[in-house]
Amino acid sequence: MKLTPNEQAMLEGREGVARQKAMELLVGYAEGLGAEGFVDTNNVAVLTGLFPYPDLIREIVPSLDPDEIASKFFLNSDEIVVVDKVKAFTTSHIYRNQDYPQIQQGGEFLCKVTKNMEQYCKRIGIVNLATCSPYQSGNLPVMGEHCAWTESSAIPFCNSILGGRTNIEGLHSAFASAITGKTPLWGLHLDENRVGKIIVDVAVDMGDIKEWNLMGYYVGGQIGLDIPIYMNINAVPDLTRIMALCAAGAASGSTVMFHIVGHTPEAPSSDEMDKLGKGLPILPYALEQRREAYERLNHSTRDDVDVVVLGCPHYTLERMKAIAGMLEGKKIHPNVELFVTTCRMIKAIADRDGYTEAISEAGGKVMDDTCGIFFEFNSSKVLASDSAKMVHYVPMTAGVKNTWFGTTEECIDAALTGKWKGELT
Ligand code: F3S
């Protein structure tokens, strides 16, 4: 593959061992993908705190030294490589919430590991946003910006809504991009791969967040990596709705990008759709498909609810304010636990504006930096959420078999009464 003089210098170690290791990793990755070269990136979102297997860390790096963890887990190097500073503007994904170790898988141990990694990231110049939705709190790519992002729900947001350009990066490739400021030039970095391949003909009223979850979940499960073009949507896709669509489509399938005619920046115009529409396959999304998605997500045998998890992806300010209003002056049912996850910047505002207090006084827990799919749930419990992604994953990550999916209002009602009364109207 073609390397620029600067890329060659990094590969030969003339900019230090860390950049050399990172470049070696990226060259192998790019060659495997068939990329002919690299593109510069100054926008990376890394996974430096996701360690679902505590025993593996204990075994491989008993010292818990962050330089050794980064070398072995992120740079694939047995030699301990000390990274000086990252080259690209880089932000971090979630860690663990340090106030509630007992609630999260890996307990005190993983809280300690992730705290160390947070300090490590700070030292090497990674901004600790600690979120799966970096675009909500300071990492907002612009149209045409080449990025190297991890996190399946954030990738379609970057590509589809912002017009940024990222493939699905992993632990190693994103970390290497942070160190080098390079990412392989392939896939969604190229114009020709960003074109819609299938039309989704929407014949459902899209006036609630629940509908965006259901539609994303259905479509993602049908089309895999194809880029859908949503047509005939009858509601404005606001931030919370779009986040639901992105997360649900990436959970049931691998939606990395989509277009919404009339709303997203690279969507074909109505005129172009007249021509395009003749050649593209059409996927109907009507009441029958909506019900199918709903039934895949709702499979509890009991109508009592033990735990309600909200904030997947990390809750927006709009949702924090909304549930604070729903809970004000009320008390959560004694048999129910309510968890609300968000990013640290939104939590800081929620703290100052009283949303955290209203939720906490009702008996809920507002947790930043973390994610409900890594919570310790008793597998016999019944969980409810307003996120299709959460309901999709908890059976796998926490063994919870009984799940309810519904509107935020239905979830808050379940938290207050201990009963699930949601339905598909
Ligand atoms: Fe974020 Fe966890 Fe959901 S990382 S998107 S809250 S599964």
Side-chain angles (χ1 to χ4, degrees):
M1 64 185 298
K2 288 183 222 127
L3 296 183
T4 63
N6 171 246
E7 290 159 2
Q8 192 64 41
M10 285 195 273
L11 189 61
E12 288 170 7
R14 283 183 272 140
E15 292 194 13
V17 181
R19 286 198 186 142
Q20 182 177 29
K21 293 269 183 205
M23 220 39 219
E24 283 170 2
L25 215 144
L26 283 176
V27 167
Y29 171 49
E31 284 177 348
L33 295 164
E36 287 182 5
F38 290 101
V39 63
D40 289 342
T41 178
N42 190 35
N43 191 322
V44 181
V46 288
L47 285 171
T48 43
L50 271 189
F51 298 106
Y53 308 111
D55 290 345
L56 203 66
I57 301 178
R58 279 195 191 95
E59 188 188 320
I60 296 177
V61 189
S63 69
L64 304 186
D65 169 31
D67 285 299
E68 193 175 347
I69 289 178
S71 302
K72 291 191 170 160
F73 283 89
F74 309 154
L75 285 173
N76 229 0
S77 167
D78 285 335
E79 175 193 348
I80 299 178
V81 178
V82 178
V83 177
D84 178 17
K85 294 281 179 209
V86 290
K87 217 173 196 178
F89 172 68
T90 303
T91 58
S92 77
H93 202 296
I94 59 164
Y95 296 109
R96 285 289 195 275
N97 180 287
Q98 298 292 328
D99 295 332
Y100 298 100
Q102 68 287 359
I103 291 169
Q104 300 157 99
Q105 292 171 15
E108 298 274 2
F109 175 72
L110 277 190
C111 278
K112 184 176 172 203
V113 172
T114 54
K115 196 173 173 94
N116 285 353
M117 293 316 295
E118 184 179 343
Q119 290 305 316
Y120 169 83
C121 285
K122 185 175 160 193
R123 191 193 86 205
I124 68 169
I126 293 174
V127 180
N128 283 307
L129 291 187
T131 182
C132 49
S133 52
Y135 47 84
Q136 283 205 89
S137 56
N139 186 349
L140 193 73
V142 297
M143 184 86 175
E145 185 173 357
H146 292 283
C147 306
W149 276 23
T150 54
E151 171 51 36
S152 65
S153 67
I155 287 159
F157 195 100
C158 175
N159 284 311
S160 320
I161 304 303
L162 304 173
R165 295 183 171 216
T166 182
N167 291 308
I168 310 172
E169 300 300 340
L171 199 88
H172 300 90
S173 62
F175 193 69
S177 290
I179 293 173
T180 59
K182 303 283 175 183
T183 188
L185 182 61
W186 75 289
L188 293 170
H189 291 287
L190 302 170
D191 290 348
E192 61 269 30
N193 298 324
R194 300 175 64 84
V195 180
K197 294 283 186 227
I198 181 166
I199 293 171
V200 182
D201 185 11
V202 182
V204 167
D205 181 0
M206 296 301 293
D208 188 90
I209 301 157
K210 175 172 87 172
E211 301 302 338
W212 296 78
N213 271 287
L214 290 174
M215 184 170 74
Y217 198 69
Y218 177 79
V219 173
Q222 299 293 313
I223 66 170
L225 274 167
D226 273 354
I227 297 178
I229 305 172
Y230 289 99
M231 286 197 70
N232 305 321
I233 286 190
N234 71 349
V236 175
D238 64 22
L239 176 64
T240 313
R241 292 171 177 182
I242 283 295
M243 286 169 68
L245 181 70
C246 291
S252 64
S254 306
T255 306
V256 287
M257 183 170 182
F258 55 82
H259 302 290
I260 304 177
V261 173
H263 292 286
T264 56
E266 295 172 61
S269 66
S270 300
D271 287 350
E272 285 168 321
M273 281 312 296
D274 284 343
K275 289 180 229 150
L276 260 179
K278 294 193 177 78
L280 291 181
I282 297 177
L283 179 72
Y285 181 72
L287 294 181
E288 183 190 334
Q289 289 77 22
R290 173 181 180 250
R291 177 158 294 281
E292 189 181 319
Y294 187 79
E295 285 173 0
R296 277 181 63 200
L297 290 164
N298 285 278
H299 33 68
S300 179
T301 51
R302 293 158 39 201
D303 69 353
D304 48 338
V305 169
D306 307 296
V307 58
V308 177
V309 181
L310 306 174
C312 168
H314 275 170
Y315 244 7
T316 59
L317 263 177
E318 183 269 332
R319 283 291 91 184
M320 294 296 289
K321 180 170 184 284
I323 60 164
M326 291 177 215
L327 288 168
E328 198 158 10
K330 299 185 179 148
K331 286 283 176 214
I332 286 161
H333 191 276
N335 297 343
V336 181
E337 289 181 289
L338 169 67
F339 300 108
V340 182
T341 58
T342 190
C343 57
R344 52 182 66 175
M345 276 174 69
I346 286 180
K347 176 154 185 307
I349 296 167
D351 289 352
R352 294 178 78 136
D353 279 9
Y355 310 145
T356 307
E357 190 180 348
I359 297 164
S360 306
E361 292 217 326
K365 291 185 176 62
V366 179
M367 298 167 73
D368 56 7
D369 298 359
T370 191
C371 159
I373 66 171
F374 298 120
F375 287 1
E376 282 288 0
F377 295 123
N378 180 327
S379 58
S380 64
K381 301 234 163 178
V382 181
L383 178 144
S385 180
D386 60 355
S387 162
K389 179 173 179 179
M390 177 61 53
V391 168
H392 176 84
Y393 280 116
V394 283
M396 291 172 258
T397 60
V400 176
K401 298 284 178 290
N402 289 299
T403 55
W404 291 115
F405 162 78
T407 64
T408 309
E409 290 77 5
E410 288 166 347
C411 290
I412 292 294
D413 180 72
L416 295 170
T417 63
K419 292 282 174 204
W420 183 255
K421 300 190 230 55
E423 57 183 352
L424 194 65
T425 49

